[in-house]
Amino acid sequence: MTDASEARQADRTLKSKHRAMWALGDYPSVASHVVSPLGPLLVKECGIQIGDRVLDIAAGSGNAAIPAALAGADVVASDLTPELLEVGRHLAAVQGAQLEWREADAEDLPFADGEFDVVMSCIGIMFAPHHRTAADEMLRVCRAGGTVGLVSWTPEGFVGRLFATMKPFAPPPPPGVQPPPLWGSEEYVHELLGDAVTDVVARRRTVRVTLFKAPSDFREFFKACYGPTIAVYRAVGDDPEKVAALDAALDALAAEHTTDGVMEWEYLLLTAHRSG
């Protein structure tokens, strides 16, 4: 087997693992019960209008794609995980939204150069393993003068720290795989996008989370619903001491970020125009 074919096989294996991870648990519950305000916010900040051709990358169950369709846009919701797309189809039907659902890899989008007026991703593209490749694809399919919009968890915010907390319990990532919360660093995203964009506006904000009345409520919800957390628990599942240590670490993290039953999860909201 040649080096190139070995690399392709390794990438297919990696993407298969990612696809399976996001199918674990119930991520649509996280999207609808915890971070639901983020999708409509991104649609508003991108200025999406009737007739815009919009691509939502790593759309999951449609937290941003469905509001964009309801705003009158011509929307394609793409995601690597077909199980999430199927949930999205059902949610869209319930809400009366019409859009296209397309299984697609953020690092190899099946769309033409400059096909979309708006290319957005709401805490989605940040989980693609190779950031430069994903960013290049996002820029490629956006037309000159079009809008790029991103919502990403920051490294310093709660979810960024969640990944840092889980890291010692998780298997080491394959070579070249980059940490998702880097997309929440304004400087990092500026470097990824470079002079391919203009009019960059980046703001740090927080989403208010009131679902969890105690730290253990957060931990149990994420153990049941959030693919990355489920995967880490499975990795240490045969070691009761590590499971207990991970339980304690997540409880401590949640307690640190909870005041009177309220959590504030920081994210970076970034919009820009495609150079042309």
Side-chain angles (χ1 to χ4, degrees):
M1 184 179 289
T2 67
D3 290 345
S5 61
E6 288 178 351
R8 286 192 295 270
Q9 180 58 46
D11 188 64
R12 284 192 292 269
T13 300
L14 175 62
K15 298 300 173 58
S16 178
K17 289 181 178 179
H18 270 242
R19 185 181 296 111
M21 179 185 71
W22 287 107
L24 294 172
D26 186 5
Y27 182 75
S29 287
V30 179
S32 61
H33 297 306
V34 184
V35 297
S36 59
L38 296 181
L41 170 68
L42 182 58
V43 170
K44 178 182 177 182
E45 294 294 327
C46 287
I48 291 173
Q49 303 178 39
I50 295 173
D52 281 345
R53 177 79 167 150
V54 176
L55 174 65
D56 187 4
I57 299 175
S61 53
N63 189 29
I66 292 174
L70 292 173
D74 175 14
V75 180
V76 178
S78 68
D79 199 277
L80 187 66
T81 304
E83 291 87 347
L84 297 181
L85 296 176
E86 189 58 36
V87 174
R89 288 187 184 95
H90 171 73
L91 294 174
V94 169
Q95 297 178 54
Q98 295 187 356
L99 62 156
E100 179 183 351
W101 300 87
R102 185 83 173 267
E103 185 176 343
D105 182 352
E107 298 180 4
D108 186 20
L109 295 170
F111 307 111
D113 295 358
E115 183 172 340
F116 297 93
D117 301 303
V118 179
V119 180
M120 63 179 181
S121 188
C122 185
I123 53 176
I125 197 173
M126 64 181 291
F127 292 100
H130 307 108
H131 296 177
R132 170 65 63 189
T133 304
D136 288 348
E137 279 292 272
M138 176 181 64
L139 294 167
R140 179 184 64 79
V141 300
C142 186
R143 68 165 175 82
T147 299
V148 171
L150 297 165
V151 167
S152 308
W153 301 122
T154 65
E156 303 84 2
F158 176 75
V159 178
R161 292 195 59 196
L162 169 64
F163 277 91
T165 299
M166 295 191 299
K167 183 178 179 179
F169 299 90
V177 172
Q178 296 162 291
L182 288 176
W183 281 83
S185 164
E186 183 178 348
E187 295 75 17
Y188 184 79
V189 181
H190 271 294
E191 181 182 344
L192 282 179
L193 303 182
D195 58 8
V197 297
T198 61
D199 308 318
V200 177
V201 178
R203 288 152 288 177
R204 288 188 178 224
R205 295 183 176 180
T206 60
V207 62
R208 182 181 175 91
V209 177
T210 60
L211 182 65
F212 311 116
K213 301 307 179 185
S216 59
D217 295 335
F218 161 78
R219 183 233 309 156
E220 289 303 314
F221 183 85
F222 265 53
K223 283 175 72 171
C225 296
Y226 193 59
T229 302
I230 296 169
V232 172
Y233 270 98
R234 287 188 175 184
V236 298
D238 59 352
D239 188 329
E241 290 186 2
K242 287 186 177 179
V243 171
L246 181 53
D247 281 347
L250 294 186
D251 285 355
L253 177 68
E256 181 183 346
H257 285 80
T258 302
T259 303
D260 297 328
V262 177
M263 306 177 82
E264 299 282 350
W265 296 6
E266 187 182 63
Y267 60 90
L268 180 72
L269 171 64
L270 184 144
T271 58
H273 291 126
R274 181 71 164 94
S275 301

